[in-house]
């Protein structure tokens, strides 16, 4: 299953992205909180079965 990030809220201090499929069904979200020198990331998946796709989506590519 293909999953994507869809912006929900974007401010200078934080961003919330929904984790959705191609039909715009929400499976969870990821929040990025910005501090002066730090970045905090919090993610939650609400449905099983998309965790491998989620890990592939957030994995860094060189």
């Amino acid at each position: 299953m293909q999953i994507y990030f869809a912006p929900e809220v974007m401010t200078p201090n934080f961003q919330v992205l929904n984790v959705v499929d191609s039909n715009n069904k929400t499976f969870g979200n990821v929040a990025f909180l910005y501090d002066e020198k730090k970045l905090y990331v919090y993610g939650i998946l609400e449905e099983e079965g998309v965790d491998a796709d989620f890990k592939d989506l957030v994995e860094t590519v060189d």
Side-chain angles (χ1 to χ4, degrees), residues 8-61:
E8 179 71 22
V9 178
M10 299 177 85
T11 73
N13 297 327
F14 69 91
Q15 293 183 10
V16 177
L17 305 174
N18 287 329
V19 179
V20 299
D21 66 5
S22 57
N23 295 322
N24 211 27
K25 179 181 177 188
T26 303
F27 290 97
N29 59 54
V30 178
F32 299 92
L33 306 170
Y34 306 105
D35 196 1
E36 288 183 20
K37 296 184 180 182
K38 295 182 182 179
L39 170 67
Y40 299 94
V41 179
Y42 177 76
I44 188 165
L45 292 174
E46 298 171 353
E47 299 214 13
E48 294 182 26
V50 296
D51 55 341
D53 296 319
F54 179 77
K55 289 176 186 176
D56 289 341
L57 187 62
V58 298
E59 185 176 84
T60 308
V61 179

